[in-house]
């Protein structure tokens, strides 16, 4: 029997990431090749014409799984009945702007979208925040949508996770699909900690630790970390535009694994609401290693954290605590 369509909201849908993301969703990359979808696309009034152009292209592409398109500048219309919300729209930092100015703009955006989701989204709506500062935007959204369970509000660090996989794959000249269990800890910012201490590679002789195969701790503890942390800036320098297709692809990966589950023995990185695991302060949206089953994520417990890693985990937690304080100061 044919499945009921899932309603997927993409905010900032006329922007770069949105333009890369909506065809992936319509093609089944996010929810599977047998799951029909109805796309809800939201953008700001100045982008209304461009948004309508995206809608025209979706119609022209004749995606078999796409059962309807809502394109609107009205948050209530966009949020009505949605099962999954991918929050790509946000206010980007512009030259000469202080962090508090950016935070203040995003607080007001996420405050209004949170209340629209809370009042009009489907029960058990899953939310993924992509727009930066992603962790703190997700926290604001949680604050203003109290009836959405905290476990349903997440932010994107899968892009960083995939970047880490990509770097190891290039370094070892192996398939990215043979590497698993890297971890991104903390903030989706340059303070994040890409950790390979528990990562393994599938080889003809069985699974081997990444550290054992790379055989270069200096690279893994310095250049590798910095490359992943700064990758977004490197792409802006090369393209003169920020990461779009990789961000869209990892947003699909994030939702797909959350909804359909992670493979046995494999974890992924998701920005989720901290419960105090690994001595990370509770009440932050922080990236942890998680496994997913039956539409629920669970933080992987019991991983050993060495002294080098502990410092990195604390550093990114401190930055998130500062961001949280800054965001809350914008509310007063």
């Amino acid at each position: 029997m044919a499945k009921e369509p899932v309603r997927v909201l993409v905010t900032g849908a006329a922007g770069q990431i949105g333009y890369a993301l909506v065809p992936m969703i319509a093609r089944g990359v996010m929810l599977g090749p047998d799951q029909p979808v109805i796309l809800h696309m939201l953008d700001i009034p100045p982008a209304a014409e461009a948004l309508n152009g995206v809608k025209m292209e979706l119609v022209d592409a004749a995606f078999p799984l796409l059962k309807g398109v809502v394109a609107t500048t009205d948050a209530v219309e966009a949020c009505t009945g949605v099962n999954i919300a991918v929050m790509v729209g946000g206010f980007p930092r512009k030259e000469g702007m202080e962090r508090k100015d950016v935070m203040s703009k995003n607080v007001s955006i996420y405050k209004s979208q949170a209340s629209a989701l809370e009042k009009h989204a489907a029960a058990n709506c899953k939310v993924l925040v992509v727009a930066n500062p992603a962790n703190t935007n997700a926290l604001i959204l949680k604050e203003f949508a109290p009836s959405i369970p905290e476990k349903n509000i997440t932010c994107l660090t899968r892009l960083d996770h995939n970047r880490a996989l990509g770097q190891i794959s290039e370094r070892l000249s192996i398939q990215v699909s043979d590497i698993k269990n890297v971890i991104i800890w903390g903030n989706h910012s340059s303070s994040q900690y890409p950790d390979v201490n528990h990562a393994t590679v599938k080889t003809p002789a069985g699974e081997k630790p990444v550290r054992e195969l790379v055989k270069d701790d200096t690279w893994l503890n310095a250049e590798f970390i910095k490359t992943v942390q700064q990758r977004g800036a490197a792409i802006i320098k090369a393209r003169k535009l920020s990461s779009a297709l990789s961000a869209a692809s990892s947003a699909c990966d994030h939702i797909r694994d959350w909804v359909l589950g992670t493979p046995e023995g494999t974890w992924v990185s998701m920005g989720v609401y901290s419960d105090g695991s690994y001595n990370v302060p509770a009440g932050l949206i922080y990236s942890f290693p998680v496994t997913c089953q039956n539409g629920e994520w669970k933080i992987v417990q019991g991983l050993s954290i060495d002294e080098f890693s502990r410092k990195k985990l604390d550093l990114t937690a401190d930055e998130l605590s500062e961001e949280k304080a800054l965001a809350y100061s914008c509310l007063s």
Side-chain angles (χ1 to χ4, degrees):
M1 196 166 123
K3 293 181 174 180
E4 280 293 303
V6 170
R7 290 180 180 271
V8 182
L9 166 67
V10 176
T11 72
Q16 273 216 99
I17 295 172
Y19 188 70
L21 178 59
V22 292
M24 292 181 187
I25 298 169
R27 204 176 274 287
V29 175
M30 179 179 277
L31 294 170
D34 61 346
Q35 177 58 65
V37 293
I38 296 170
L39 269 168
H40 288 227
M41 304 191 299
L42 175 69
D43 218 311
I44 54 175
E49 200 175 350
L51 186 65
N52 192 46
V54 177
K55 180 179 179 178
M56 289 160 68
E57 285 204 74
L58 286 167
V59 170
D60 293 351
F63 294 109
L65 290 171
L66 186 59
K67 302 304 179 190
V69 181
V70 176
T72 182
T73 59
D74 178 73
V76 170
E77 186 186 1
C79 292
T80 299
V82 297
N83 309 102
I84 291 164
V86 186
M87 316 302 282
V88 179
F91 192 90
R93 188 169 181 175
K94 294 177 180 171
E95 212 173 335
M97 282 184 79
E98 294 295 323
R99 279 179 73 224
K100 179 154 185 175
D101 299 334
V102 184
M103 195 69 80
S104 174
K105 295 273 190 194
N106 280 297
V107 163
S108 64
I109 292 168
Y110 276 81
K111 196 173 163 182
S112 69
Q113 292 183 354
S115 60
L117 277 172
E118 165 147 90
K119 292 190 185 94
H120 304 285
N124 208 31
C125 175
K126 287 178 161 57
V127 182
L128 167 61
V129 176
V130 176
N132 288 322
N135 300 59
T136 302
N137 284 344
L139 198 60
I140 293 297
L141 194 143
K142 180 204 158 293
E143 203 63 39
F144 288 97
S147 71
I148 298 178
E150 60 197 32
K151 66 181 173 53
N152 281 23
I153 296 175
T154 64
C155 82
L156 186 71
T157 56
R158 183 60 173 270
L159 176 55
D160 310 297
H161 181 101
N162 288 349
R163 284 167 171 165
L165 292 174
Q167 290 304 304
I168 299 297
S169 157
E170 298 249 294
R171 181 77 177 191
L172 293 174
S173 300
I174 56 172
Q175 295 297 315
V176 78
S177 53
D178 288 338
I179 312 159
K180 68 176 189 181
N181 298 351
V182 300
I183 303 167
I184 301 297
W185 299 97
N187 199 0
H188 174 61
S189 75
S190 57
S191 77
Q192 64 176 259
Y193 172 43
D195 176 5
V196 297
N197 290 325
H198 309 278
T200 59
V201 175
K202 190 165 73 183
T203 73
E207 286 192 354
K208 301 276 186 193
V210 161
R211 277 200 184 271
E212 192 182 299
L213 295 177
V214 170
K215 296 188 181 71
D216 187 345
D217 282 352
T218 306
W219 181 77
L220 284 170
N221 290 346
E223 192 185 330
F224 162 75
I225 292 174
K226 193 173 177 191
T227 299
V228 177
Q229 288 174 334
Q230 304 285 346
R231 187 67 162 187
I235 285 165
I236 289 172
K237 191 164 183 273
R239 287 189 73 226
K240 311 295 179 269
L241 293 164
S242 56
S243 315
L245 82 84
S246 54
S249 180
S250 40
C252 288
D253 291 344
H254 175 114
I255 296 287
R256 187 187 62 244
D257 286 342
W258 188 5
V259 172
L260 302 178
T262 46
E264 189 71 34
T266 300
W267 62 67
V268 294
S269 302
M270 283 171 66
V272 298
Y273 197 64
S274 171
D275 61 357
S277 293
Y278 296 99
N279 293 324
V280 170
L284 296 176
I285 301 257
Y286 188 99
S287 182
F288 287 97
V290 301
T291 55
C292 304
Q293 202 178 1
N294 303 321
E296 306 273 332
W297 56 263
K298 199 163 81 179
I299 296 172
V300 176
Q301 298 294 343
L303 298 174
S304 58
I305 305 291
D306 62 18
E307 194 183 342
F308 177 84
S309 298
R310 183 72 258 165
K311 284 181 179 154
K312 298 279 190 194
L313 264 73
D314 292 345
L315 189 75
T316 189
D318 289 347
E319 183 184 62
L320 279 168
S321 296
E322 281 171 30
E323 275 190 21
K324 179 180 179 177
L326 190 59
Y328 280 46
S329 74
C330 297
L331 296 172
S332 50

